[in-house]
Amino acid sequence: MSDKKREHKSNVENGEKSNSLIRKSPPPSYKQSTTKTVYIQPVALGSKSQSVICPACRETIVTIIEYETSSKTHYAAIALCCFFWPIAYLPYCIDSCKNANHYCPNCESYIGTYAN
Ligand SMILES: [Zn+2]
């Protein structure tokens, strides 16, 4: 047997060995890029529902409004209670005396508040 042949044989053996070995590769790491900058333009919100671009789903939507009693609502009620108590409850009934919270109808994310 010549040296060349022996060399060839050993190469084949090595090749077969490495093929039979099951190499467990580490699971691919999913790197989340946090460098992505999202520019959200401040939206001027009113007391009524309006058309805006939702910062969460990027859709042009008409906001859903939920009115929330603000501290001003309470002050107005207290003031009315002192001067003209029969209508002291009025600020709680009038939406314009409350804060308007704007929500996205698509993804239901909070967009902003119009503070009275
Ligand atoms: Zn949305």
Side-chain angles (χ1 to χ4, degrees):
M1 210 184 257
S2 72
D3 282 341
K4 247 190 179 178
K5 262 191 175 173
R6 205 187 291 160
E7 222 172 53
H8 178 75
K9 204 187 175 190
S10 67
N11 276 349
V12 169
E13 273 177 356
N14 281 344
E16 278 175 0
K17 239 185 184 178
S18 64
N19 278 345
S20 64
L21 274 173
I22 300 160
R23 284 197 179 184
K24 281 189 178 179
S25 59
S29 59
Y30 298 102
K31 280 185 181 176
Q32 284 187 327
S33 61
T34 50
T35 50
K36 202 178 174 183
T37 319
V38 180
Y39 295 102
I40 299 166
Q41 284 192 326
V43 188
L45 296 165
S47 59
K48 299 269 179 268
S49 53
Q50 60 191 78
S51 180
V52 294
I53 296 166
C54 172
C57 64
R58 301 260 160 206
E59 293 283 327
T60 307
I61 46 92
V62 177
T63 57
I64 292 171
I65 290 192
E66 277 180 20
Y67 290 103
E68 189 184 62
T69 54
S70 64
S71 54
K72 276 188 181 175
T73 315
H74 301 305
Y75 291 142
I78 291 163
L80 279 171
C81 203
C82 294
F83 299 110
F84 197 66
W85 60 266
I87 57 159
Y89 66 91
L90 224 61
Y92 294 104
C93 302
I94 302 165
D95 286 339
S96 63
C97 289
K98 299 173 187 173
N99 285 346
N101 293 333
H102 291 256
Y103 294 94
C104 171
N106 257 10
C107 62
E108 294 179 346
S109 68
Y110 170 76
I111 291 163
T113 299
Y114 171 76
N116 275 305

